[in-house]
Amino acid sequence: MNPVRLLLTGRPGCGKTSVILRTLELLGRAAAGFYTEEVRDARGRRVGFDVVALDGARGPLARIGSDGLRVGKYGVAVESFEAVGVSALERGLENPRLLLVVDELGKMEFLSQKFVKLLPRVFAAPNPLLGTILSRPHPIADPWRRAPGVELVTVTTENREALPEALAAKFRE
C-alpha cells in the first residue's frame, strides 16, 4: 500500500501552515520535518520568516534586507534552513513510520541545493507526507505537484477550518 502524500496549496496567507499544525495536533502521531513561521516587528509588520523543526529547533529562514540569495525583498539564510529544516527531514527519513512534514516546497527553500537534492528521497520514502507547495507554476515544484501518489488540496478561507479533521482522517485510514 502506498503512503498518503498530501500537499496543500493556495494563496499566500490562506492558512496552509495553520492547517498543517492543527492536523498534527489532531493526529498526535510522531512526525519529523519543518514548518515556516512569520516573524513580525513590534508594530506588527512582517519582517521575515523562521524555519521551525518539529523537534523544536529554530532558525532564521529569511529577513527583509538581509544579505545573501534573495526572494523579493527577503534575503534567504540558506545555511540556517539547511541546519534546521533539511536536517530535520533527513532525521525523519531514518524512521519509515514517521510522518514527514515539509512546509514548504517554495522559492526560498528551493535556493538550498541540499533541499532540492533531498526531495527525490522524500517522495520515494515509505513515510506518509504532509506538506505545502507554492500555488504558482515553478520548474522545481511542478514535478512534485504531479508526483505519483500525491494528492493536492487547495486551502481557502472557506475550507481551512474543516480541513484539519478531513486530512487527519486520511492519515488514519
Side-chain angles (χ1 to χ4, degrees), residues 95-151:
N95 181 346
R97 291 187 302 278
L98 290 178
L99 169 63
L100 297 180
V101 175
V102 181
D103 175 35
E104 95 182 84
L105 291 142
K107 290 179 185 177
M108 291 181 187
E109 295 81 4
F110 292 153
L111 292 175
S112 163
Q113 287 305 303
K114 192 173 179 182
F115 178 64
V116 171
K117 288 178 182 170
L118 185 63
L119 290 176
R121 281 185 57 207
V122 169
F123 280 84
N127 304 69
L129 173 67
L130 176 60
T132 64
I133 191 164
L134 74 165
S135 58
R136 292 208 169 116
H138 187 282
I140 298 172
D142 294 346
W144 302 117
R145 198 186 321 274
R146 298 185 301 267
V150 167
E151 181 182 344

Side-chain angles (χ1 to χ4, degrees), residues 35-67:
Y35 63 95
T36 55
E37 187 172 88
E38 287 185 352
V39 176
R40 296 191 175 267
D41 67 12
R43 294 186 188 154
R45 293 179 301 205
R46 185 169 70 194
V47 296
F49 300 90
D50 278 354
V51 56
V52 183
L54 296 181
D55 66 7
R58 170 187 291 267
L61 173 61
R63 295 291 187 274
I64 290 175
S66 288
D67 292 335

Side-chain angles (χ1 to χ4, degrees), residues 7-17 19 103-105 131-137 145 152-157 159-160 163:
L7 291 180
L8 308 182
T9 190
R11 299 177 58 83
C14 69
K16 296 180 295 290
T17 299
V19 169
D103 175 35
E104 95 182 84
L105 291 142
T132 64
I133 191 164
L134 74 165
S135 58
R136 292 208 169 116
R145 198 186 321 274
L152 276 180
V153 178
T154 301
V155 178
T156 65
T157 52
N159 72 2
R160 68 182 175 204
L163 269 178

